[in-house]
Amino acid sequence: MKTRCAVVRMRLPGVESVDELGPRLSSHVETCLTCQAEAARYRTLRRHLGALASETIEAPDTLVSAVAAQIQHPAAEDRRGTMVRRAAIAASAAAGAVAAAGAGTIIVIGLRRTRSAA
Amino acid sequence: MSSREVLREEEHELVARAAGGDQAAFTELVRIHQHEVYTLAARMVADRELAYDVSQEAFVRAWRAIGKFRGDAKFSTWIHRITVNTAFSHRDRRKRKRTESLDSVYQEPVSESLSPERGGLSATMREPLAVALDALPESLRSVIVLKDVYEWSHTEIAEHLDISVTAAKVRLHRARKSLRITLWDEHKAGAE
Ligand SMILES: [Zn+2]
């Protein structure tokens, strides 16, 4: 049994569900609490990673104007680029600290494709 | 027509105008997609300043190529692919700046509207996961982000990261195993 536990442990990171381990290993998991716990950890990990898809980190305020300037006047924007970028990042970080008390810097947008259950 | 279909219709029109050289229409597309592109870039490179550069360059590349964009795909799918390619091409210029990493963003409280039922992370898991993800080598982080967050296929990942499908699978395996060890053996997060 110990060997099967070791094989399950080795293969779990590469599968989306226990079924993918094949009939012998998946029936072992059904009877082994250690392997069930390990499978549950990977399920939790995938679920939490999947949940990140519905959270969006707000872009710095200047991103849109920087892109607009870049497509209108590429050469001029190249000269200003670094200074504008640094100011934008600093402002965004400061705004994030303020927003943390209220709305937060992480907003929810439906970005995910439909997930199949693991 | 649903509001989503109306938005899709509007976006379709913006894309068509942008493809015809309308800068204002393209800027509107940037405004609509800025946060999702920045988020993807930030998750790929784990550095705010670099994510800003990647996002900006991705949009500029998109502007230059929008004439070739085929309307049968979603604009967001297309711009995501450009963002991943841009992040990949920045890898050699990348400097890890831990003090400006995404940790500070993830550690901030989540909006009150973000409940677990709506897909948010449990409080005990959020911070350790963000830190562990950020600490992964870039080659592993990019694969697990694209696969487990954005649900790309191994084939898509292999194509965009210029690696084999086997390499994509191996990296995913290593990334998940590394996060599992960090979160449960090192942190003992008990994060269920
Ligand atoms: Zn077992």
Side-chain angles (χ1 to χ4, degrees):
Chain A
M1 274 313 197
K2 281 266 157 63
T3 313
R4 283 200 188 157
C5 293
V7 175
V8 168
R9 183 173 271 261
M10 189 179 68
R11 289 192 49 197
L12 273 176
V15 299
E16 306 304 312
S17 80
V18 170
D19 294 342
E20 289 178 37
L21 297 173
R24 283 180 68 177
L25 290 178
S26 37
S27 58
H28 164 76
V29 174
E30 278 174 25
T31 60
C32 175
L33 291 176
T34 307
C35 285
Q36 283 173 21
E38 188 68 358
R41 291 184 190 111
Y42 281 104
R43 239 185 351 261
T44 301
L45 177 62
R46 287 197 308 275
R47 180 163 53 81
H48 281 83
L49 285 165
L52 287 175
S54 61
E55 295 185 2
T56 301
I57 304 164
E58 268 190 44
D61 289 343
T62 56
L63 180 60
V64 177
S65 56
V67 173
Q70 183 88 12
I71 64 176
Q72 282 164 15
H73 309 289
E77 181 55 27
D78 281 349
R79 286 195 297 274
R80 293 193 321 128
T82 303
M83 282 175 63
V84 169
R85 181 180 65 244
R86 290 199 174 138
I89 303 296
S92 173
V98 172
T105 52
I106 299 172
I107 56 179
V108 181
I109 295 180
L111 289 175
R112 293 173 61 193
R113 302 178 199 175
T114 307
R115 291 184 74 84
S116 53
Chain B
M1 194 181 276
S2 71
S3 58
R4 184 168 286 195
E5 284 171 327
V6 171
L7 286 174
R8 181 76 60 83
E9 199 66 26
E10 283 172 3
E11 183 165 286
H12 204 72
E13 195 183 316
L14 287 171
V15 169
R17 282 170 48 201
D22 185 335
Q23 291 178 344
F26 185 78
T27 302
E28 183 59 14
L29 287 168
V30 176
R31 193 189 62 73
I32 292 167
H33 293 279
Q34 58 174 321
H35 301 300
E36 66 190 80
V37 165
Y38 182 74
T39 301
L40 174 56
R43 294 218 166 101
M44 292 288 289
V45 302
D47 178 302
R48 280 196 202 192
E49 190 171 329
L50 191 54
Y52 187 88
D53 287 349
V54 167
S55 306
Q56 191 175 339
E57 188 177 326
F59 280 123
V60 172
R61 286 187 188 190
W63 165 250
R64 290 186 188 133
I66 194 142
K68 294 182 224 157
F69 174 66
R70 303 165 78 88
D72 49 352
K74 278 169 69 180
F75 181 79
S76 61
T77 305
W78 186 66
I79 190 68
H80 280 195
R81 287 165 195 278
I82 293 175
T83 305
V84 170
N85 290 344
T86 307
F88 181 65
S89 68
H90 269 71
R91 73 195 189 286
D92 294 333
R93 290 179 255 169
R94 197 163 299 163
K95 293 175 192 163
R96 301 277 299 169
K97 292 184 179 175
R98 302 301 306 170
T99 51
E100 289 182 2
S101 77
L102 287 171
D103 295 3
S104 57
V105 172
Y106 284 114
Q107 285 164 5
E108 286 162 6
V110 188
S111 163
E112 303 230 322
S113 65
L114 185 62
S115 67
E117 291 75 21
R118 292 181 59 188
L121 306 186
S122 67
T124 49
M125 187 70 157
R126 169 187 302 283
E127 186 181 320
L129 177 62
V131 172
L133 202 51
D134 205 22
L136 282 178
E138 182 273 338
S139 60
L140 302 188
R141 188 179 55 248
S142 55
V143 171
I144 199 168
V145 163
L146 293 176
K147 183 72 173 68
D148 284 350
V149 180
Y150 290 94
E151 300 189 314
W152 285 33
S153 69
H154 282 299
T155 308
E156 289 173 304
I157 293 168
E159 187 186 318
H160 284 270
L161 299 185
D162 201 21
I163 57 177
S164 67
V165 169
T166 304
K169 288 181 178 176
V170 169
R171 288 186 193 184
L172 178 70
H173 189 285
R174 288 174 57 198
R176 283 176 176 168
K177 190 175 171 187
S178 174
L179 291 182
R180 179 255 173 270
I181 289 168
T182 305
L183 293 171
W184 279 275
D185 292 352
E186 294 171 11
H187 267 280
K188 302 199 186 303
E192 273 87 352

